Amino acid sequence: MSSSIERTPAAAGTDRRTFLQRVALTGVALGPGGAFLASCATGGDGDDAEDEATEAPTGDVSEENPLGIPTDQPIEVYIFDGGFGDEYATELHQPIFHERWPDIEIDHHAAVDIGAELQARFVAGDPPDFINNSGDGQMDPGQLISDGLLADLTPLFDAPSWDDPNVTVRDTLLPGTIESGTRDGKPYVLNYAFTVFGLWFNQTLMDENGWPVPTTWQEMMDVCADIAATGIAPWVYQGVTAPRYMNWPLLSMATKLAGPEILVAIDNLEPGAWGHEAIKESAAAIRSLRENNYFLPGVEGMEFRDAQGLWARGEAVFCPSGSWLENEEADAIAENPTFQLAMMPEPLLSEDSVMPLETVRATAGEPYVVPADAKNPLGGMEYMRAMLSMEGARGFTERVTSLTSVAGASEGVQIEAPGLASAQAALQAAGDNVINWFYPSWYGTMENPGIDQATGALLRAELTVDQWVEQCEAVATEIREDDSIVKQTREG
């Protein structure tokens, strides 16, 4: 196994002085959360960059040390101090690591704004060995990859797992985990947390009113009529801030109806993909919620937390979101002691749907990376290998109320949070019927503001379904025809 750390081709031939001059003249580009973002690779000329990439210290490869990490070199770790905090690192993952590698010092840092903390170090070619690149200050991973600033994680995924030398790391992960962090056929990002998407509701409220959990769209419309008759809004969505949340049930229902091939066509920017009949039927169903006045009044002008807060306080029943919602609205939910959060998969548009009701969208998230210019990149990957141990993954779920991308890690874990328990049950019921799409992470502007604006207009009934399709197709065409954008592809 090679212990050298591969840089992307974009890293060769760049000039740090040119980059710094550009920064001085124009300012530094901003990442998706406003973080400073290097717009070209560091490392001087191509020869120097290659030398830096291959001179990282290594140790002897053995059964005990499959990555060949240097056992006398420290590891510098940066953890985003946000919703998960950083105690899962200091009190769980790092002790697991130290038990096996007691002589390796971990230099731990917690940061609220990752980009602000690390931008200058990337420019100087002196980044840490391991970064939890998350939060509002997240550095744009696509830009980091195209600039050759992240290490290829193939050695990690091909290595034996922490717990079983006969099973590789990649074989311990849930489907789609590696793909979610892959660009141009190579994995650069470890997405560790695992999010389940669906429709969220107060089970107690449903039970008290005798409202059944709908399994078909017709049942959904019937339940919505009963809910509306009580003066409660049947649905809420994330308002002017993020109408794209309604794309999630739209695409999920369409995929159940026609199969995952429609998502492959969308991700691959195929002409006409947004005009598939299943997508149009799903868009018409979503639009019918507005036509029947089943949205919370005024939601289209609300900020997303305001809209979710009203839902959590009982002014609406169904809310589309991911399994982070339980933590995000914990304070509002706590105001109602009878609130029992539950999640349901999106209903079927037809009983003849290709995929079963239990199908859910789920994806790995919360990104962790190893910089290509790190002093000890193999050490950073070994730290990841410890995180992906069964003990590390189970402990993470117990501590921060989040599933992980390690298959089977939540089995037997006593999950007290009702929402997460419901999401876990939904994921288990789905089995292999787990879907996802990648265009939002591959092409940021395609989702926001592109498709986002079109769906917002659809939800306000300002666009017909055909007009919505036209706008979505126009957004996809713009991305497809822009030669400056590196295109990604996925297999069917």
Side-chain angles (χ1 to χ4, degrees):
M1 179 183 301
S2 173
S3 58
S4 63
I5 305 302
E6 184 176 347
R7 297 176 63 98
T8 60
T14 56
D15 189 326
R16 182 183 287 119
R17 288 171 295 182
T18 301
F19 168 57
L20 293 175
Q21 289 168 358
R22 187 186 308 157
V23 171
L25 290 172
T26 65
V28 181
L30 294 177
F36 292 116
L37 173 64
S39 59
C40 80
T42 62
D45 60 42
D47 292 339
D48 289 344
E50 186 66 21
D51 288 344
E52 290 178 8
T54 57
E55 288 180 356
T58 62
D60 295 330
V61 175
S62 65
E63 184 175 341
E64 293 75 21
N65 186 6
L67 287 174
I69 68 168
T71 58
D72 59 351
Q73 297 293 317
I75 299 172
E76 187 178 12
V77 169
Y78 265 81
I79 300 293
F80 168 59
D81 190 4
F84 292 151
D86 74 323
E87 290 183 352
Y88 73 87
T90 58
E91 297 181 7
L92 175 66
H93 292 153
Q94 290 170 20
I96 291 172
F97 185 94
H98 273 135
E99 185 176 352
R100 186 165 297 187
W101 302 110
D103 296 330
I104 297 179
E105 177 185 350
I106 295 178
D107 183 10
H108 174 90
H109 304 268
V112 173
D113 191 333
I114 288 291
E117 290 266 356
L118 298 179
Q119 167 65 21
R121 294 189 57 180
F122 269 96
V123 172
D126 181 36
D129 304 306
F130 172 96
I131 303 170
N132 174 200
N133 181 35
S134 188
D136 288 342
Q138 179 193 54
M139 296 173 287
D140 185 343
Q143 189 69 58
L144 292 173
I145 292 167
S146 64
D147 290 344
L149 298 176
L150 298 185
D152 179 351
L153 298 179
T154 299
L156 165 70
F157 296 129
D158 285 346
S161 65
W162 191 265
D163 301 304
D164 186 346
N166 297 313
V167 177
T168 64
V169 171
R170 71 172 63 247
D171 288 336
T172 68
L173 303 178
L174 288 168
T177 297
I178 295 176
E179 289 79 2
S180 69
T182 295
R183 293 290 180 96
D184 301 322
K186 295 181 180 180
Y188 295 99
V189 180
L190 167 63
N191 287 308
Y192 186 64
F194 208 78
T195 298
V196 182
F197 296 82
L199 302 180
W200 300 80
F201 60 93
N202 180 351
Q203 183 69 65
T204 303
L205 182 65
M206 297 283 283
D207 291 344
E208 287 178 348
N209 287 278
W211 296 328
V213 176
T215 61
T216 67
W217 189 255
Q218 184 56 58
E219 290 178 3
M220 170 61 77
M221 297 303 287
D222 293 343
V223 168
C224 284
D226 291 342
I227 294 171
T230 69
I232 301 174
W235 277 67
V236 74
Y237 66 92
Q238 282 69 11
V240 68
T241 309
R244 61 184 169 276
Y245 278 49
M246 288 298 287
N247 282 334
W248 305 345
L250 191 162
L251 290 176
S252 294
M253 290 193 300
T255 304
K256 293 182 187 187
L257 181 60
E261 295 80 8
I262 65 173
L263 299 177
V264 175
I266 286 175
D267 285 342
N268 289 345
L269 305 175
E270 294 181 13
W274 287 92
H276 192 285
E277 285 303 315
I279 293 177
K280 293 171 68 174
E281 184 171 341
S282 191
I286 293 299
R287 191 180 190 273
S288 71
L289 295 172
R290 169 61 64 194
E291 296 166 356
N292 288 279
N293 296 316
Y294 288 158
F295 286 133
L296 181 70
V299 69
E300 66 275 3
M302 295 180 187
E303 296 296 315
F304 85 103
R305 289 299 304 276
D306 293 336
Q308 290 181 174
L310 291 173
W311 161 81
R313 293 176 176 87
E315 294 192 27
V317 175
F318 299 110
C319 177
S321 191
S323 47
W324 63 78
L325 183 65
E326 188 163 28
N327 279 340
E328 195 165 59
E329 296 302 331
D331 291 343
I333 291 173
E335 294 177 14
N336 183 354
T338 66
F339 196 115
Q340 182 178 353
L341 184 61
M343 189 215 89
M344 58 171 280
E346 294 84 357
L348 298 176
L349 291 170
S350 168
E351 293 182 357
D352 295 329
S353 295
V354 171
M355 302 189 75
L357 170 69
E358 292 79 11
T359 301
V360 294
R361 179 193 178 203
T363 182
E366 193 63 18
Y368 297 79
V369 298
V370 172
D373 279 337
K375 292 185 177 68
N376 188 1
L378 290 173
M381 292 187 201
E382 181 72 352
Y383 187 94
M384 289 180 171
R385 204 167 69 94
M387 288 174 59
L388 295 169
S389 66
M390 194 61 69
E391 180 184 358
R394 283 179 176 167
F396 184 85
T397 295
E398 292 171 338
R399 286 173 176 269
V400 305
T401 317
S402 172
L403 303 177
T404 72
S405 55
V406 178
S410 64
E411 294 178 9
V413 175
Q414 295 298 315
I415 298 177
E416 296 181 1
L420 185 63
S422 179
Q424 179 193 38
L427 186 61
Q428 291 174 341
D432 294 334
N433 295 303
V434 175
I435 61 173
N436 193 25
W437 48 90
F438 298 104
Y439 75 88
S441 59
W442 285 353
Y443 315 112
T445 58
M446 181 174 169
E447 163 124 300
N448 183 20
I451 306 297
D452 216 7
Q453 291 184 346
T455 297
L458 180 75
L459 298 174
R460 297 189 297 271
E462 295 171 359
L463 294 179
T464 65
V465 170
D466 287 340
Q467 290 170 334
W468 175 79
V469 169
E470 289 176 6
Q471 288 202 14
C472 293
E473 281 292 311
V475 172
T477 298
E478 183 177 356
I479 299 294
R480 184 172 60 248
E481 295 180 353
D482 187 339
D483 293 337
S484 69
I485 298 175
V486 178
K487 307 304 189 296
Q488 308 296 321
T489 58
R490 59 180 290 200
E491 299 297 326

